[in-house]
Amino acid sequence: MIRKLIRSVREYKLPSLLSPVFVILEVVMEVIIPILMAILIDEGIDGDGGMDAVTHYGLILIGCCVASLLFGALAGHFAAFASAGFAKNLRHDMFYRVQNYSFSNIDKFSAASIVTRLTTDVTNVQNAYQMMIRVALRSPAMLIFSMVMAFQLSFRLSLIYLAAIPVLGVGLFCIMTKVHPIFERVFRTYDKLNNITQENLHGIRVVKSFVREEHEIEKFSGVSENIYQDFTRAEKRLSFNAPLMQFCMYACMILVSWFGARMIVSDTLTTGQLMSLMTYAIQILSSLMMLSMVFVMITMSRASVERISELLDEESDITSPENAVTEVQDGSIDFEHVSFSYSKREDKCCLQDIDLHIPAGMTVGILGGTGSAKSSLVQLIPRLYDATMGTVKVGGVDVREYDVEALREEVAMVLQKNVLFSGTIKENLRWGDPDATDEELVRACQLAHADEFIQTFPEQYDTYIEQGGANVSGGQKQRLCIARALLKKPKILILDDSTSAVDTHTDACIRQAFRDEIPNTTKLIIAQRVTSLMDADLILVMDEGKISGMGTHEELLQNNAIYREVYESQQKGSVPQ
């Protein structure tokens, strides 16, 4: 798990190595300083060296302090640089991994959870990494060097420090085992908090129109309160860390002072050596305190490391095979006894035994009630999901044998939830073809009947689209998405209820443009209005995941009760009373 994350260090290996080097040099300087102080006191103050010895050793002390400051600053600089770069690479690797996920992989984690892992969890790991390459090395180095120097000065007094270590170790272990499960729960709650925030911001118009602000505030406050309670529990347990450290530190200092004073009286220890031992006591116990802080940070980041590793370990269930087919011959589509389940369970299929053959260039209309699996059917064509049973073929080849990108390049899909990204209209349209000329953009928009409203904007095709297309209407957004799909010049065009916000006249004009301009493209149109489908070459009537009827408009009026009922109800609704 750690090994997988460390791969993200990459070009920041050098600063990651330089930081520990300067940390060691800083520690060496700090360990030398107490010895120099002892010599200065014993020879310059208590001894016969006088001011010459004080000046000599004082200058050396100043040099060591300046060197320690310099090494510490360099260690901090390289640690910050390395940890920030590590976090940048880690976010890149996670985002790159998510881009390769199939829809089912994304459904498994949820968008809010992925955002939390890319932000909060990465920040926790970044802080832990910085602490590990600096403080986590400094503390044990300081502990070991100070212990060695202390034992050289007085073996008996140094045993006091050894007695404090197991007390601290047991205390820290008990604290950490209690705290880790709480932090695991906290980060799962963060996912819920982000999900609520995301839903609220996306649906803010609905919230205000139904005057549900108080309800949303209560939902947010409830989850926020849970995070507060969990963090409070964790901090209460962690709060025992500082008193334990302080108790051990002051107990050691009192014992060293007591026994050291007796040894000075008996001439087995000098004043300078006692001062050095007191300094080493502070260094040893401070290093233990810093180690406890490292353990706290590692405990917090451990849950984040596990969540990040889950994201990086997740394998997409839709991948290109070896020796994949890279060319789609035509837009013919074949469903051979296809069943599909989102949960992969054969007993819970939303599509059941679909057997369908569509020649290239045909226009196919798909009609059905809510939940009849219309969208699920068309999502199998570009391999957004894989069939649970049976085979889906495009151009006579099983879609699982294609290179995924090559297949999707030939299938343009306008989803139910039309999405426009922040940027100009031109930038959004060029998602369909990055190399499209301005003339091609205009032509695609004319076919989608988007050019007429674009020309009314002051900046026309350079008009800036706000996030999510907030500054254009639903119908305008749909027509821009259709134009974007047409720019791909696909062999298969799928419109998933993507003209629902367009008036019937414009809808008819768009369909006429399809017939005239892209006759060789296979067109699948999902719609709720019969008028949007009645001129299709073939109409499918979906009901509870099955095809209940298939034929032309006239044939279905004669042979299919569901189609006839929908047609008659819509015709009645269109007649003025």
Side-chain angles (χ1 to χ4, degrees), residues 31 38 40 98 104 143 172 175 199 214 232 254 260 370 447 477:
V31 170
L40 187 149
V98 170
S104 57
L143 178 65
L172 287 174
I175 292 170
E199 283 185 344
E214 288 297 325
T232 302
I254 290 170
T370 303
L447 292 176
K477 189 189 299 184

Side-chain angles (χ1 to χ4, degrees), residues 442-485:
V442 173
R443 182 59 183 154
C445 288
Q446 287 173 344
L447 292 176
H449 281 257
D451 182 69
E452 58 190 42
F453 73 80
I454 294 174
Q455 296 296 342
T456 64
F457 295 151
E459 297 181 28
Q460 298 182 354
Y461 283 83
D462 291 315
T463 300
Y464 189 83
I465 299 293
E466 302 292 342
Q467 184 180 15
N471 57 334
V472 292
S473 70
Q476 290 172 338
K477 189 189 299 184
Q478 287 184 338
R479 282 178 277 176
L480 286 171
C481 291
I482 293 170
R484 182 174 63 188

